[in-house]
Amino acid sequence: MNGSCKCGNIRYITGDPLQVVNCHCNLCRSINGSAFSSYVVTRLHEFKLESGNDTLSSYLATDHATKHFCSVCGTPIYNINPERYPGLAVIHLGTLREHDQLNPGVNIYCSSKLGWVDAIPSIRSLAEGPQRN
């Protein structure tokens, strides 16, 4: 599998996914600005940057969790937490070229899931953005 940031400065390859998850924890919500985050879990030693090492920035989100992102376009690329998830890279699903072929198999940290997330299928959906008047 391979992926990149939005601007294309950072490009990577990685091995097959071990798991695809939706994480509902407060940390993911706060560092990603979303209701939940979808990730592909893979082995860290199989994650290789092909380009963009000079624009890959990191943020120590907790004493053990580090978020890696593109310093040019801001795209989050992957997270690591060697204490809780040793040897794993947690890759942001949307950065993978194959993201439409991967389906989450589990929701994690549901104790902090926002109450309205389960109602998503019942929310009015538009094929595109709303029409301007």
Side-chain angles (χ1 to χ4, degrees):
M1 296 190 311
N2 56 61
S4 67
C5 63
K6 176 65 177 160
C7 71
N9 281 324
I10 296 173
R11 296 190 184 283
Y12 66 86
I13 58 171
T14 192
D16 291 333
L18 301 173
Q19 184 71 263
V20 182
V21 304
N22 290 325
C23 184
H24 295 272
C25 79
N26 291 321
L27 175 62
C28 285
R29 192 167 30 255
S30 69
I31 65 173
N32 296 322
S34 61
F36 60 90
S37 297
S38 298
Y39 297 113
V40 174
V41 180
T42 188
R43 289 175 184 83
L44 183 58
H45 73 270
E46 294 177 347
F47 180 89
K48 306 286 185 217
L49 283 181
E50 292 186 313
S51 67
N53 198 43
D54 56 329
T55 58
L56 184 69
S57 292
S58 62
Y59 170 71
L60 189 61
T62 70
D63 289 342
H64 305 287
T66 304
K67 175 181 180 170
H68 297 86
F69 60 96
C70 177
S71 62
V72 175
C73 66
T75 301
I77 305 296
Y78 72 104
N79 304 331
I80 58 169
N81 186 330
E83 182 167 296
R84 183 167 276 171
Y85 307 110
L88 299 178
V90 181
I91 301 169
H92 288 260
L93 176 70
T95 66
L96 283 161
R97 185 174 299 157
E98 303 87 352
H99 68 270
D100 59 342
Q101 300 167 26
L102 301 169
N103 296 312
V106 64
N107 287 298
I108 60 174
Y109 293 98
C110 291
S111 61
S112 54
K113 180 170 55 171
L114 296 175
W116 57 263
V117 169
D118 289 333
I120 288 175
S122 66
I123 297 172
R124 184 176 78 141
S125 298
L126 305 173
E128 300 291 330
Q131 298 295 318
R132 294 173 38 175
N133 293 339

